[in-house]
Amino acid sequence: MLRVLPPRDAAVSPVTAAESPFHVSRLSAAYGDRPAIYDLTFTPPRGALAAVIGPNGAGKSTFLKAALGLIPKIAGETRVFGKPLSANRREAAYVPQRASVDWDFPASVLDVTMMGLQPEIGWLRWPNASHRARAMQALEAVGLAALAGRQIGQLSGGQRQRVFIARALVQDAEVYLLDEPFAGVDAATEAAIMDVFRDLARRGKTVICVHHDLATVRDYFDYVMLINVEKQAEGPVAAAFTAELVAKTYGRRALGLSSAYGA
């Protein structure tokens, strides 16, 4: 059974685009002739634990990738604390889905973690003792310091996910964007990852997760955006994660499901 974490002390308050740590404005992207996301605007507050939820094929992963400039977009822009993403990119750390990673790559857990420091270290330069210490600190935060020398492909699925979270943590960014961070991990790993996210939020960092499990939204997050190609709702969980809005996002057949999950 998943451990229910205590609620945040502070309520999530609305913010302006300039105040938001990761403001996405009127973002649209397509795959060929098929629109993947259309005219999405997203304005989470600083320190939020934010979920991006919607049915399969709704454009959740596309939203993250297009917002970060990892795939082409048709329109829209992303600003980090009011500045264009290109001018403030180091403040946004990204963790992709595990399925998109080549796990046969001959790198150790410590090597993969230090990849998060590549923009700082630079190409064709070796990390120094300070870089290694920071990477070990990040691995300690996710409970994997003892496995620093192990080849990444030898880890379990949950351990691999925690390594990639450590790679993001070592950047010491202000915003962390994660694509399905709980997919395929066991309950203990999920609880450990959530502890890391809670600690980030307590320190004023913003965590944005593509998330699929409606049952844990209220326990894990305080802010949410519901999408199905277009945005269906956005705001604090209490206001935006309701049975009616979930049903609107997933279709009327989801009404009973969302009610059972407490939406």
Side-chain angles (χ1 to χ4, degrees):
M1 186 174 195
L2 294 180
R3 179 162 56 90
V4 177
L5 295 165
R8 303 274 304 282
D9 292 332
V12 176
S13 302
V15 294
T16 65
E19 295 169 330
S20 176
F22 196 80
H23 173 64
V24 181
S25 177
R26 309 203 67 175
L27 185 66
S28 296
Y31 293 113
D33 295 332
R34 180 175 64 86
I37 54 172
Y38 178 71
D39 202 32
L40 287 180
T41 293
F42 181 51
T43 313
R46 185 174 184 268
L49 291 168
V52 179
I53 62 175
N56 291 337
K60 302 183 296 295
S61 296
T62 300
F63 166 74
L64 280 195
K65 293 174 184 176
L68 288 167
L70 301 176
I71 61 173
K73 61 188 177 185
I74 296 171
E77 69 168 352
T78 301
R79 289 184 170 267
V80 178
F81 291 107
K83 298 180 181 179
L85 176 65
S86 59
N88 227 3
R89 183 172 290 277
R90 289 194 183 184
E91 298 301 343
Y94 171 61
V95 178
Q97 290 186 18
R98 285 191 292 121
S100 65
V101 177
D102 178 8
W103 298 108
D104 294 326
F105 188 74
S108 71
V109 167
L110 182 61
D111 291 335
V112 172
T113 304
M114 285 194 295
M115 288 176 184
L117 291 171
Q118 185 277 323
E120 178 181 327
I121 297 170
W123 293 106
L124 303 178
R125 293 178 59 193
W126 294 102
N128 59 33
S130 173
H131 296 135
R132 293 179 182 276
R134 287 165 58 187
M136 287 300 298
Q137 185 178 19
L139 287 171
E140 185 72 38
V142 299
L144 291 181
L147 302 181
R150 188 168 297 184
Q151 198 272 332
I152 189 71
Q154 297 175 352
L155 302 186
S156 69
Q159 289 170 334
R160 292 174 181 179
Q161 186 68 297
R162 282 191 274 171
V163 171
F164 272 74
I165 291 172
R167 186 183 68 171
L169 291 177
V170 80
Q171 298 177 52
D172 194 26
E174 290 296 324
V175 185
Y176 294 83
L177 302 106
L178 305 100
D179 196 350
E180 298 276 12
F182 304 119
V185 304
D186 59 28
T189 297
E190 186 164 325
I193 291 172
M194 199 60 221
D195 279 342
V196 172
F197 293 170
R198 288 272 180 181
D199 181 64
L200 287 171
R202 290 188 190 102
R203 293 192 282 124
K205 312 289 188 176
T206 303
V207 179
I208 301 168
C209 298
V210 169
H211 190 63
H212 71 278
D213 184 4
L214 298 181
T216 57
V217 171
R218 289 188 180 278
D219 293 334
Y220 287 179
F221 300 100
D222 51 29
Y223 198 84
V224 66
M225 178 171 68
L226 285 70
I227 69 171
N228 192 343
V229 181
E230 299 179 80
K231 183 170 75 175
Q232 307 298 316
E234 177 188 352
V237 165
F241 188 67
T242 65
E244 292 76 17
L245 289 171
V246 171
K248 176 187 175 186
T249 304
Y250 285 78
R252 299 303 302 176
R253 64 185 181 280
L255 184 58
L257 179 67
S258 61
S259 296
Y261 285 162

